[in-house]
Amino acid sequence: MKLRKAKIADVEEMMSLINNNAEQGLMLPRSRNMLYENIREFMLAEENGQLVGVASLHILWSDLAEIRALAVDDNHRRQGIGTKIVKAVEEEARDLGCSRLFALTYQPEFFKYCGYEEVSKDQMPQKVWRECINCIKFPNCDEIAVSRII
């Protein structure tokens, strides 16, 4: 498996993978527009030239970043791909000087496996919620917040 940064040519395949996971209730969907606007944030996992996983590192402040849009292909789950992507994103965050990561997720057990702790959404800084107004679940967020110091 190879990890690499996303390119514009990857957007359609990324959207398909992410939104397939969203249709299964594993995460929220992402728009094509969101993917293009944030393409530089995305890390991809490829196996034999096929996209098998994706995640985004979204910087919010000097010490705070969010792991977003973590998705793994149906046929490649439980093979450590998600964990490898999270570790790569954490390394990138460390390299940038960011010390605290969080995610809003429907898969808290996966993140706990990766060393994250479930936290109250009320503990998250207001800055975290600025994009929520565009979410299909707004104002009734049912995601679970997890966080980790790296």
Side-chain angles (χ1 to χ4, degrees):
M1 185 189 68
K2 172 184 164 188
L3 294 172
R4 67 170 177 85
K5 294 297 283 181
K7 299 176 184 171
I8 290 172
D10 298 314
V11 166
E12 293 303 318
E13 198 173 3
M14 290 165 55
M15 191 171 78
S16 177
L17 175 61
I18 290 167
N19 290 338
N20 178 54
N21 276 254
E23 288 169 9
Q24 296 174 51
L26 300 173
M27 63 188 298
L28 294 174
R30 298 298 193 274
S31 70
R32 182 177 284 110
N33 185 58
M34 181 273 190
L35 297 176
Y36 277 120
E37 286 182 354
N38 299 285
I39 193 71
R40 293 174 140 193
E41 297 179 357
F42 281 89
M43 177 76 62
L44 305 183
E46 287 184 327
E47 192 169 274
N48 300 321
Q50 177 190 356
L51 179 64
V52 295
V54 62
S56 162
L57 175 67
H58 184 73
I59 304 298
L60 288 157
W61 201 244
S62 64
D63 68 338
L64 183 65
E66 179 181 8
I67 296 177
R68 291 180 169 179
L70 174 61
V72 175
D73 178 70
D74 293 346
N75 298 320
H76 293 84
R77 290 200 183 115
R78 301 199 128 0
Q79 296 178 19
I81 293 168
T83 303
K84 287 177 183 170
I85 294 170
V86 167
K87 299 257 182 256
V89 169
E90 289 173 347
E91 184 177 328
E92 182 178 10
R94 264 189 231 97
D95 289 347
L96 290 169
C98 187
S99 61
R100 188 167 48 136
L101 288 175
F102 78 97
L104 298 172
T105 183
Y106 293 132
Q107 308 301 315
E109 295 307 316
F110 167 77
F111 280 98
K112 287 177 186 176
Y113 174 79
C114 292
Y116 289 72
E117 294 180 23
E118 193 170 319
V119 296
S120 168
K121 287 187 269 190
D122 297 337
Q123 292 178 341
M124 304 307 293
Q126 201 63 25
K127 194 167 197 60
V128 167
W129 308 113
R130 71 177 175 189
E131 295 180 21
C132 293
I133 197 152
N134 298 320
C135 179
I136 60 172
K137 299 272 186 152
F138 183 79
N140 300 311
C141 178
D142 59 351
E143 289 184 298
I144 296 164
V146 294
S147 182
R148 178 176 187 192
I149 304 296
I150 56 167

